[in-house]
């Protein structure tokens, strides 16, 4: 892989013209991961026009399509499907107060009379903390490289009973349903709620309704002795081995799987005739024409086509799942590398996107700077008209320009977004990242600090200011 990619597995025995094209596209996309880490393994699967393609790359160790990776937050999409199946089967409603399914009273799980609902747990608006137990304090106590192992120690003997006890101490900072924020705790809690709804352990529910019917025999939280022999080891960007995800992460991120199984899962998710699947792909927050959150899926559009995606990271693994249901097209990317910033996430997303666009659009179509974006962005690019622009989409477009190496153009778009939205902490944070990318430390510091003034909880700005020696 990396600078010397070795392709070792192709799904189809025959090599038609379409297959040769997919080979070329995927091998080129795989080379996005060019940091030359000796321990990296990369598996990529594609579903297009009813055909399944599988590719595995490696240098020191070459994986197979049955090599087992941690899939992190993609686990949450399994959990969500179990919830929507319960809704379809009449066992629950998305608007139910979660306390209906808890065995103890939790008067704290409401904000000024507004309770947390089941929907809030899966559309990222629960207002619950990111993690229970809280791991943020570990950052101040231990070096960054040792944090994963300290988190594992913290969770090693932590139980469901401990979680439910500590849940009593949670104070909601915002009204549920209002502000999206990542929360592993919300999905762990949902796992416990599902156990109360289905009257069986979470892993048993997953096997009964997902992995069993789909014959995903190498997917689960607890691995067998034989499966452990096929489990990849995870590494950071320095090539240091990372610990495996604690089992306690359960319904939030402890699932492991292989490429063979995840392609079955992608085919399952692409079939929206299943009402429980379709429910997870509907917007539950935001505007799907720009950016929205379904039920643990991110939603958007690309050239008028509906996009559904989710990523997952653990201490040493990164994965990315991309779906275009109307086109019946899907990509799964899995690698055994992760870092504390988003660079590997960006690369896995870039791999999936590259495979999609090169499989479905001509080179001429792809040359447009606003390719893939809305009519409003296309109009901005051609005429400078700012009518109807969405802050998040403008930001996303600017980042896409930055990734293409068009730094000056990208900076102008970031600057425009700041002018259009002077009270948004996020646009200042993004403009700061552009300046940092271009080597302009002074302006990067200036705009990170302005972002922090508007949002003192912006940990990204705080981390970058420390990195730049400004804190």
């Amino acid at each position: 892989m990396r600078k010397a990619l070795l392709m070792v597995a192709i799904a189809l025995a025959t090599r038609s013209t379409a297959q040769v094209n997919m080979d070329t596209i995927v091998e080129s996309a795989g080379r996005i991961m060019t940091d030359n880490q000796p321990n990296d393994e990369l598996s990529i699967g594609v579903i297009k026009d009813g055909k399944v393609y599988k590719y595995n790359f490696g240098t020191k160790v070459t994986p197979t399509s049955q090599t087992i990776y941690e899939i992190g937050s993609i686990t949450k999409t399994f959990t969500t499907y179990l919830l929507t199946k319960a809704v379809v089967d009449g066992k629950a409603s998305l608007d139910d107060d979660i306390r209906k399914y808890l065995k103890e009273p939790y008067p704290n799980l409401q904000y000024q009379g507004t309770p947390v609902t089941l929907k809030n747990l899966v559309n990222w608006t629960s207002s619950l903390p990111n993690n229970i137990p809280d791991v943020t304090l570990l950052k101040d106590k231990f070096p960054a490289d040792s944090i994963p192992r300290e988190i594992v120690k913290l969770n090693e003997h932590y139980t469901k009973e401990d979680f439910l006890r500590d849940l009593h101490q949670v104070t909601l900072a915002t009204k549920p349903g209002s502000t999206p924020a990542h929360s592993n705790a919300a999905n762990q809690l949902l796992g416990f709620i599902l156990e109360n709804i289905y009257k069986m352990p979470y892993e048993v529910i997953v096997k009964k309704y997902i992995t069993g019917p789909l014959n995903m025999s190498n997917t689960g939280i607890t691995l067998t002795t034989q499966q452990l022999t096929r489990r990849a080891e995870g590494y950071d960007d320095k090539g240091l081995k990372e610990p495996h995800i604690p089992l306690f992460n359960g319904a939030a991120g402890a699932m492991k799987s292989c490429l063979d199984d995840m392609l079955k899962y992608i085919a399952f998710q692409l079939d929206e005739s299943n009402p429980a699947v379709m429910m997870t792909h509907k917007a539950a927050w935001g505007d799907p024409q720009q950016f929205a959150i379904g039920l643990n899926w991110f939603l958007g559009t690309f050239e008028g086509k509906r996009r559904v995606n989710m990523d997952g990271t653990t201490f040493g693994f990164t994965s990315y799942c991309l779906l275009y249901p109307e086109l019946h097209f899907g990509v799964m990317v899995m690698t055994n590398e992760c870092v504390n910033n988003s660079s590997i996430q960006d690369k896995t997303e870039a791999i999936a996107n590259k495979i999609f666009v090169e499989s479905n659009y001509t080179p001429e179509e792809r040359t447009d700077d606003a390719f893939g974006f809305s009519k409003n962005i296309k109009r901005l690019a051609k005429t400078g008209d700012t009518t109807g622009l969405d802050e998040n989409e403008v930001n996303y477009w600017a980042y896409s320009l930055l990734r293409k190496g068009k730094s000056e153009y990208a900076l102008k778009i970031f600057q425009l977004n700041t002018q259009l939205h002077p009270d948004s902490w996020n646009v200042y944070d993004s403009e700061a990242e552009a300046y940092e990318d271009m080597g302009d430390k002074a302006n990067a510091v200036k705009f990170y600090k302005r972002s922090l003034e508007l949002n003192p909880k912006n940990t990204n700005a705080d981390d970058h200011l420390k990195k730049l020696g400004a804190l």
Side-chain angles (χ1 to χ4, degrees):
M1 204 184 66
R2 305 310 189 205
K3 292 182 179 178
L5 288 173
L6 174 63
M7 184 173 65
V8 299
I10 301 175
L12 303 181
T14 59
R15 297 179 61 85
S16 65
T17 301
Q19 173 68 45
V20 171
N21 289 342
M22 186 63 75
D23 292 351
T24 302
I25 290 168
V26 175
E27 186 169 1
S28 173
R31 293 182 185 277
I32 290 173
M33 310 272 287
T34 56
D35 52 10
N36 209 27
Q37 290 294 318
N39 296 304
D40 285 353
E41 302 169 41
L42 175 67
S43 295
I44 301 173
V46 183
I47 294 178
K48 177 176 170 59
D49 299 329
K51 296 181 180 179
V52 176
Y53 305 88
K54 306 173 192 177
Y55 303 85
N56 293 285
F57 304 98
T59 49
K60 184 176 180 180
V61 176
T62 302
T64 73
S65 295
Q66 291 199 341
T67 296
I68 295 175
Y69 299 83
E70 295 175 2
I71 61 172
S73 284
I74 293 178
T75 302
K76 294 178 173 67
T77 68
F78 287 70
T79 307
T80 302
Y81 173 76
L82 296 174
L83 172 62
T84 55
K85 177 172 174 51
V87 171
V88 169
D89 291 345
K91 297 178 180 179
S93 168
L94 289 178
D95 294 325
D96 283 345
D97 184 330
I98 62 172
R99 293 174 293 185
K100 176 180 177 180
Y101 303 97
L102 297 175
K103 297 178 181 179
E104 301 174 33
Y106 287 89
N108 57 315
L109 296 183
Q110 57 83 33
Y111 182 86
Q112 297 180 355
T114 300
V116 180
T117 67
L118 292 175
K119 180 189 288 186
N120 299 148
L121 294 180
V122 290
N123 77 345
W124 292 42
T125 65
S126 68
S127 194
L128 290 173
N130 191 17
N131 293 290
I132 300 176
D134 186 5
V135 300
T136 57
L137 298 178
L138 297 175
K139 291 183 178 181
D140 298 324
K141 294 181 179 180
F142 300 98
D145 288 348
S146 66
I147 295 298
R149 285 165 181 79
E150 295 301 327
I151 292 175
V152 171
K153 288 180 184 178
L154 185 64
N155 283 274
E156 191 173 12
H157 301 293
Y158 199 78
T159 66
K160 173 182 176 180
E161 290 68 31
D162 294 327
F163 180 99
L164 294 173
R165 179 201 64 219
D166 291 345
L167 186 62
H168 285 288
Q169 307 307 314
V170 167
T171 299
L172 304 188
T174 58
K175 180 181 177 180
S178 58
T179 307
H182 183 268
S183 176
N184 287 319
N187 286 274
Q188 285 173 289
L189 178 57
L190 178 57
F192 301 145
I193 287 173
L194 290 170
E195 291 181 335
N196 292 338
I197 291 174
Y198 283 95
K199 310 300 182 186
M200 62 184 80
Y202 175 78
E203 279 200 86
V204 176
I205 309 170
V206 171
K207 184 173 182 178
K208 182 174 182 178
Y209 294 108
I210 303 177
T211 59
L214 297 180
N215 195 27
M216 296 172 64
S217 58
N218 289 303
T219 301
I221 292 174
T222 305
L223 300 180
T224 66
T225 301
Q226 197 281 332
Q227 287 169 336
L228 287 171
T229 65
R230 291 184 283 107
R231 180 178 66 175
E233 295 297 331
Y235 297 86
D236 68 8
D237 57 324
K238 300 175 184 176
L240 300 175
K241 188 181 293 187
E242 292 284 20
H244 290 285
I245 191 74
L247 295 180
F248 182 71
N249 280 68
M255 200 81 75
K256 297 93 177 171
S257 190
C258 65
L259 186 62
D260 277 347
D261 279 9
M262 288 308 296
L263 282 165
K264 295 173 185 177
Y265 185 67
I266 284 178
F268 173 70
Q269 287 290 333
L270 288 172
D271 181 9
E272 293 185 334
S273 65
N274 182 330
V277 168
M278 185 65 209
M279 193 181 300
T280 69
H281 296 173
K282 289 185 176 180
W285 181 92
D287 179 2
Q289 295 302 313
Q290 310 293 343
F291 171 79
I293 301 173
L295 304 184
N296 275 327
W297 288 100
F298 298 122
L299 311 176
T301 57
F302 188 95
E303 291 292 305
K305 303 299 183 182
R306 188 161 52 94
R307 183 185 69 247
V308 180
N309 64 275
M310 186 58 173
D311 58 83
T313 60
T314 61
F315 302 130
F317 293 83
T318 305
S319 55
Y320 188 83
C321 179
L322 176 65
L323 310 172
Y324 280 87
E326 281 92 357
L327 300 176
H328 203 75
F329 184 96
V331 182
M332 186 71 201
V333 183
M334 310 165 82
T335 187
N336 66 333
E337 182 183 350
C338 188
V339 293
N340 292 327
N341 57 49
S342 62
S343 64
I344 302 300
Q345 270 183 295
D346 289 344
K347 288 179 179 180
T348 54
E349 179 179 0
I351 287 170
N353 287 336
K354 180 178 173 67
I355 292 169
F356 170 70
V357 299
E358 293 186 9
S359 298
N360 291 277
Y361 298 94
T362 67
E364 292 74 23
E365 290 173 318
R366 303 197 304 266
T367 56
D368 190 334
D369 282 331
F371 170 66
F373 288 88
S374 69
K375 293 179 180 178
N376 291 335
I377 293 292
K378 292 180 187 296
R379 185 172 59 248
L380 171 64
K382 290 181 179 180
T383 69
D385 185 354
T386 61
T387 304
L389 292 178
D390 174 81
E391 172 191 330
N392 291 323
E393 190 184 26
V394 172
N395 228 34
Y396 186 67
W397 182 43
Y399 276 117
S400 76
L401 294 170
L402 201 62
R403 287 193 294 269
K404 292 177 181 176
K406 299 186 177 185
S407 300
E408 295 291 343
Y409 191 6
L411 179 59
K412 289 181 180 179
I413 302 303
F414 282 123
Q415 291 170 336
L416 171 65
N417 216 17
T418 304
Q419 294 167 12
L420 294 173
H421 305 281
D423 297 322
S424 168
W425 65 269
N426 189 49
V427 295
Y428 287 98
D429 185 85
S430 298
E431 187 171 341
E433 288 187 346
Y435 283 121
E436 184 178 3
D437 186 76
M438 296 171 69
D440 187 343
K441 178 179 176 181
N443 272 317
V445 169
K446 175 183 175 181
F447 280 82
Y448 279 131
K449 287 185 174 180
R450 178 55 182 153
S451 179
L452 270 179
E453 289 174 2
L454 293 169
N455 178 16
K457 295 182 179 180
N458 180 10
T459 57
N460 182 68
D462 189 66
D463 290 344
H464 279 268
L465 285 170
K466 289 176 180 176
K467 175 184 174 183
L468 293 167
L471 280 183

